[in-house]
Amino acid sequence: MIRLLLVELEPDDIETQSLARALRDSGVEVVYAKAGSAEEIARAAEQEDVRAVGLVVRSDEHRLIGTELATRTVVFATAEGDEQALRAAGVKAIFRPGNAEGVVSWASTLKPDHER
């Protein structure tokens, strides 16, 4: 089983909620959290022993959180122009808005947790 942490950085984030459903429907175990800082997200990722963290990046603050968590982060929706900075910081994968299928496909390439 693959475990991913999806973090809602803004209230009622429909994109994150939709992606969580798509991943669950594809057999990915999704841990869903609401957090406001990189430290909170890092703690949640460690406690939940997840493979990666998913964020929707819509602002400079979100981009900063994504870069601070780069080694564990997959950004699944990002504003135009954010990709280069996030890739330079080491973000594992970046997906454009509305590409739940791409995230599901990427997640399916990860080794199951028991094989880590």
Side-chain angles (χ1 to χ4, degrees):
M1 174 71 63
I2 296 166
R3 291 171 56 92
L4 299 179
L5 173 65
L6 297 186
V7 180
E8 187 174 297
L9 294 173
E10 294 181 356
D12 300 319
D13 184 346
I14 300 300
E15 255 180 298
T16 305
Q17 294 168 6
S18 297
L19 182 61
R21 279 191 297 277
L23 287 167
R24 286 181 182 129
D25 290 348
S26 297
V28 175
E29 184 177 351
V30 176
V31 178
Y32 197 85
K34 295 181 182 187
S37 72
E39 294 80 24
E40 291 172 338
I41 297 166
R43 263 195 312 276
E46 188 174 314
Q47 288 172 352
E48 296 293 342
D49 191 30
V50 295
R51 187 65 53 87
V53 177
L55 308 170
V56 173
V57 173
R58 291 193 182 97
S59 69
D60 289 341
E61 181 183 351
H62 298 164
R63 186 173 39 259
L64 179 61
I65 289 171
T67 57
E68 287 177 15
L69 297 168
T71 60
R72 295 194 74 137
T73 303
V74 53
V75 175
F76 57 83
T78 184
E80 284 293 328
D82 285 342
E83 287 187 38
Q84 186 175 5
L86 292 166
R87 286 193 195 285
V91 171
K92 290 181 179 183
I94 300 171
F95 299 91
R96 300 300 302 152
N99 189 6
E101 297 84 16
V103 179
V104 169
S105 177
W106 173 83
S108 70
T109 67
L110 298 173
K111 291 182 180 178
D113 289 339
H114 69 276
E115 293 179 12
R116 280 198 286 178

